[in-house]
Structures are given as structure tokens and as C-alpha cells.
Amino acid sequence: DVKVTQSSRYLVKRTGEKVFLECVQDMDHENMFWYRQDPGLGLRLIYFSYDVKMKEKGDIPEGYSVSREKKERFSLILESASTNQTSMYLCASTLTGMNEQFFGPGTRLTVL
Amino acid sequence: AQSVTQPDIHITVSEGASLELRCNYSYGATPYLFWYVQSPGQGLQLLLKYFSGDTLVQGIKGFEAEFKRSQSSFNLRKPSVHWSDAAEYFCAVGAAGSGTYKYIFGTGTRLKVLA
């Protein structure tokens, strides 16, 4: 069965901390994505990756960076967390080309 | 620019009633269209997708959607809603770049089902 896992379901961090969100997929998918989900705003794309070590900015990359050193793992990094980054973060992956996305359960991040 | 509009933020229906959730998209080329469902505390799950061919698409859990190019719409329907259908529903359009693919989501419609 297809699986996308995220390292934490809930995370509480302090302003200014460096935060790592990890996502792992076991489907040998080429493409991986990070979204943030906020009420009334839907899902907004932060970054995506179409191959190992390859990344592309989404619609709201400011304040975030990503790392993809292995095909199955895609990390989202908040260099210096701020309160406006309090949100639900969703990771997704697709096989190749235009395709169905498989989503992880999400990480609800609170920055105090 | 590509965009997806879901005009209804909240919809309430009685169990057994029919359902239609609206989705309008803006995309220059032939759209790749998706509907996802998100149950509370969960990630998103694909209900159905349209890439080409028959404009009436069947999905899981008894859902269907119809692609209407002239109206730039991809509305989701279900003839008889069950209490377990209470969730948030997202419409999305796939956008192809130079060898890359990304997806633009609507803001979602939250469905409440009355017993």
C-alpha cells in the first residue's frame, strides 16, 4: 500500500528556532511537494522537487528552504521560525508526469 | 495565471440528499482536473480525476464529476450523501511546466451532513 509519512503530527517551536519537517515516501516517486494549509486559503505550494537534489520554488517559498538528498525523503526547513508560519504542513508525492498526488497526514506546527 | 475557484466555503445537506460541489478553473491549455477529500485530521485522498476522454468521470465512494469546457467547470456530484461524507473537499488543476508538474488547489468546501 502506498505510504507517505511525516515525522511529526504536532510540533511546537519558539520564534527564531530552526525547524525541520521530514517527509518520506515508499513508492519510488519522482516528485515530492510541500504545501501549507490555512483556513480559507486552501493548499498553497511552498516548494517541490522533481528529482534528487532538484528543487523548484512554489507560490510561497519565502522563509522556507528544502532538501532532497535521497529520492524517498524531502525535508522542509524553516530557517528562523516566525509566528506567521504557524500552520498545517502537508507533504505529497507523485510518480512521474501529471498524476495523482499521495498525501501524508500533515504536521500541525505552532510557533510561539 | 492558473487558478481554481470553489465558490462555496460551507455546504450543509441532509443525509440521503443529493450533493453538488462547484469548481471553476482558469487554465490556458487542456486542464488536468482533480477532486480530493480531506477527513478531519487526515491528509488528502483522491476522489477522481479528469485528463481526457469522457467528460463524466466516476470516482470512489459513489462520487462523479463532469468536465464542462465551455463553462470552465468541474463540479462534483453525489446522488445520495452519507453521514461519513462530512469532510472538506478540494478541487485542483494540474499545470505542466518545462518538464515539471505542479498543482493548484481551490480553497476548499467544507461539507456538513445532517442526520
Side-chain angles (χ1 to χ4, degrees):
Chain A
D1 201 16
V2 157
K3 202 123 181 160
V4 178
T5 56
Q6 295 183 231
S7 50
S8 306
R9 291 300 301 270
Y10 300 92
L11 210 52
V12 180
K13 295 293 182 180
R14 297 236 175 248
T15 301
E17 279 192 80
K18 191 168 185 175
V19 181
F20 293 86
L21 303 182
E22 301 277 318
C23 175
V24 177
Q25 49 94 3
D26 65 357
M27 300 163 283
D28 202 35
H29 281 179
E30 300 290 330
N31 306 302
M32 297 186 75
F33 305 78
W34 275 108
Y35 296 90
R36 63 176 284 175
Q37 181 181 12
D38 299 289
L41 298 178
L43 278 69
R44 293 180 292 165
L45 181 64
I46 304 171
Y47 267 97
F48 65 104
S49 168
Y50 48 93
D51 201 352
V52 175
K53 298 191 187 293
M54 307 303 287
K55 62 187 178 185
E56 196 160 313
K57 292 180 181 179
D59 301 314
I60 52 164
E62 297 78 18
Y64 303 94
S65 62
V66 290
S67 171
R68 193 166 179 204
E69 297 296 318
K70 293 185 177 182
K71 191 175 186 180
E72 67 270 17
R73 188 179 298 269
F74 191 35
S75 302
L76 179 69
I77 303 151
L78 286 65
E79 297 290 342
S80 177
S82 64
T83 55
N84 63 13
Q85 292 178 310
T86 291
S87 187
M88 170 70 87
Y89 290 88
L90 291 169
C91 175
S93 70
T94 63
L95 181 56
T96 186
M98 186 63 66
N99 229 313
E100 169 188 359
Q101 289 191 292
F102 291 87
F103 283 84
T107 295
R108 185 166 293 283
L109 173 67
T110 302
V111 182
L112 302 175
Chain B
Q2 305 98 344
S3 66
V4 176
T5 302
Q6 293 181 248
D8 304 305
I9 299 171
H10 297 280
I11 282 188
T12 300
V13 299
S14 297
E15 191 170 17
S18 63
L19 172 70
E20 182 168 31
L21 302 182
R22 296 183 290 165
C23 172
N24 292 95
Y25 66 89
S26 172
Y27 187 66
T30 300
Y32 300 90
L33 296 161
F34 306 81
W35 273 101
Y36 289 87
V37 61
Q38 185 181 34
S39 298
Q42 305 293 317
L44 279 68
Q45 179 187 19
L46 181 74
L47 283 175
L48 47 78
K49 64 187 179 189
Y50 172 78
F51 282 11
S52 65
D54 193 346
T55 56
L56 185 62
V57 180
Q58 301 299 319
I60 62 170
K61 306 185 185 207
F63 285 93
E64 67 178 25
E66 187 170 12
F67 169 59
K68 293 185 177 179
R69 184 185 298 276
S70 61
Q71 298 177 19
S72 297
S73 70
F74 188 56
N75 294 347
L76 183 71
R77 300 195 294 247
K78 187 170 185 179
S80 177
V81 169
H82 188 262
W83 63 267
S84 60
D85 293 324
E88 191 156 23
Y89 292 80
F90 293 93
C91 182
V93 64
S98 305
T100 63
Y101 301 85
K102 64 177 188 176
Y103 306 83
I104 297 101
F105 284 79
T107 52
T109 298
R110 187 169 295 278
L111 174 66
K112 183 177 179 180
V113 180
L114 301 176

